[in-house]
Amino acid sequence: MSPAPNEPDAPGWYPDPGHGDRLRRWDGSRWTGESRATPPWSEARAGMSTRRKPSRHWLVFGVVAAFLLLAASFKAFTAGPDLPARTVFDTTFISQANEVCRGDLAKLKADRPKPGSRAGKDPGSDETVAATVDDVADRLRAVAVQLRGLSAVPDDRADVAGWLEEWDRYVDLGHQYAGAIREKSPRQKSLAEEGAKSGRRATLFAQANKLDDCMLA
């Protein structure tokens, strides 16, 4: 059954239907007795509709986690048995690749919103977020183009190519995600999750092969 016009379709804190200056918790099926004052930075003060809130909630956590922050949480994934065996040993390629990544990729990491910051909590309108994701994806693709221009020894080329194919997959998912934002598509969540997995694979490969500056985290 679809929610009533004033009922959200996901658990969370929303404008209190009976008190415009307060937020009330929705547990997914009913309003609870929990309420609190509306923070000055809350979108509720800007008149955002209750039905739109779940989409914004996912944008904040989905985009920031998967793309704008270049999946900062990957660091939690890069230890122990998840780390693959090292397969790239060309020290010249590794050095040159790290030098490339210390350029644009380092700048992307420096530019990303910090967790808990205003930009991290509210990355902006749907179009602003989509444009930012597209820009990040384009800049990541440019880094991949530079990496492909480097020469690796024959024994390492297949593994390097596979790594960059994963990098491309992450970029393509970013563009798909931006499109889903603009279309307000429910695919946003699944695309962000798929993007996080792809980025994790690329990051783990980089860590295992001493490409530390090329990790997406």
Side-chain angles (χ1 to χ4, degrees), residues 62-78:
V63 176
V64 171
F67 296 108
L68 295 188
L69 288 184
L70 299 180
S73 60
F74 286 162
K75 289 188 183 298
F77 299 142
T78 56

Side-chain angles (χ1 to χ4, degrees), residues 95-163:
S95 175
Q96 292 176 342
N98 278 323
E99 183 176 356
V100 166
C101 293
R102 278 194 293 271
D104 289 344
L105 187 55
K107 181 66 165 57
L108 271 171
K109 293 178 183 179
D111 289 346
R112 66 193 180 190
K114 304 299 185 293
S117 68
R118 188 180 184 88
K121 292 176 180 177
D122 182 6
S125 67
D126 289 6
E127 179 53 40
T128 297
V129 172
T132 303
V133 174
D134 274 334
D135 178 63
V136 169
D138 286 339
R139 291 165 70 182
L140 285 173
R141 192 181 299 281
V143 175
V145 169
Q146 293 182 68
L147 292 172
R148 280 194 170 86
L150 303 177
S151 177
V153 297
D155 286 349
D156 290 353
R157 287 173 189 167
D159 291 296
V160 169
W163 172 51

Side-chain angles (χ1 to χ4, degrees), residues 11-61:
W13 290 90
Y14 301 96
D16 189 327
H19 301 277
D21 61 343
R22 297 189 65 79
L23 300 177
R24 184 168 294 277
R25 182 167 178 75
W26 175 261
D27 67 5
S29 60
R30 62 182 181 82
W31 295 106
T32 72
E34 302 171 88
S35 70
R36 65 187 185 191
T38 301
W41 44 261
S42 173
E43 292 166 345
R45 289 191 181 276
M48 181 169 287
S49 72
T50 303
R51 291 304 307 281
R52 186 175 168 80
K53 192 72 172 182
S55 173
R56 293 293 302 157
H57 176 84
W58 177 253
L59 282 177
V60 172
F61 292 98

Side-chain angles (χ1 to χ4, degrees), residues 80-91:
D82 283 342
L83 198 65
R86 184 176 180 181
T87 56
V88 175
F89 297 92
D90 184 337
T91 56

